[in-house]
Amino acid sequence: MVYVILENIDQNKKFKVKHNIVFSYMKDNSLTAIPIPELSEEETPIIKVAGVQGRITINFTMLPDTEDLSLGTHFPAVRSVWDQIQYLSKYFVTEKVSERHRLVVPGVFALGSVDWVREGAFTKMSVEFRSGVGERAEASIDLIVGLVT
């Protein structure tokens, strides 16, 4: 995987993540164990309390870039670390609960010629700066997979 694309479907905004990507995919079927003192672990009831939830976390490094990381969907071009933080904050982790988002892993790196695509909502972003490393930040963004209504 060389890069992934984050998309804000409703506002037609894109962001290319391309430096030091760590991709995590978690799928939870929401089972809960109900421990009862008189029962062994094999006899403990397990109850399904909700449906299946998927969450994708993308960790990456923000660096100044010569490429427009908005892929031409924003003016001015998104290049500096500060531009990247502002752009992601404004268009990807927003106050609008009805905004739909998409994560695309280009087919060249995922499944041959087919893109790996998941839709849902970006819910959390964090950015961490460290002293002594110049204009660089470590970032993370979460997508909850599902149908945004």
Side-chain angles (χ1 to χ4, degrees):
M1 174 173 37
V2 174
Y3 66 92
V4 297
I5 304 293
L6 311 179
E7 294 183 20
N8 179 320
I9 298 167
D10 296 327
Q11 293 193 37
N12 190 31
K13 298 291 184 179
K14 296 181 181 183
F15 185 79
K16 185 176 187 178
V17 176
K18 64 182 207 176
H19 300 290
N20 302 323
I21 300 167
V22 177
F23 181 92
S24 312
Y25 179 60
M26 183 272 307
K27 191 170 183 179
D28 182 1
N29 68 2
S30 301
L31 294 176
T32 301
I34 311 275
I36 299 174
E38 300 83 21
L39 298 178
S40 68
E41 69 180 35
E42 291 87 13
E43 299 172 309
T44 298
I46 297 176
I47 298 174
K48 187 164 182 81
V49 293
V52 176
Q53 179 185 11
R55 178 181 299 270
I56 299 169
T57 301
I58 304 291
N59 296 295
F60 59 101
T61 301
M62 289 180 168
L63 297 169
D65 211 297
T66 56
E67 180 180 5
D68 177 7
L69 297 176
S70 78
L71 301 173
T73 62
H74 185 72
F75 182 81
V78 177
R79 292 191 172 100
S80 75
V81 170
W82 183 244
D83 289 345
Q84 293 172 52
I85 293 167
Q86 288 183 310
Y87 184 73
L88 286 171
S89 295
K90 185 173 183 179
Y91 296 110
F92 291 89
V93 182
T94 68
E95 296 81 23
K96 299 174 186 165
V97 294
S98 62
E99 230 166 45
R100 298 172 303 137
H101 299 109
R102 179 182 296 138
L103 171 83
V104 179
V105 179
V108 179
F109 311 108
L111 305 168
S113 62
V114 179
D115 291 346
W116 191 79
V117 179
R118 292 294 181 268
E119 291 188 7
F122 289 111
T123 59
K124 180 173 58 172
M125 180 181 92
S126 64
V127 179
E128 182 179 288
F129 293 94
R130 296 188 179 134
S131 63
V133 294
E135 189 181 357
R136 175 190 177 124
E138 299 302 321
S140 175
I141 192 164
D142 286 358
L143 176 80
I144 292 182
V145 178
L147 180 62
V148 177
T149 57

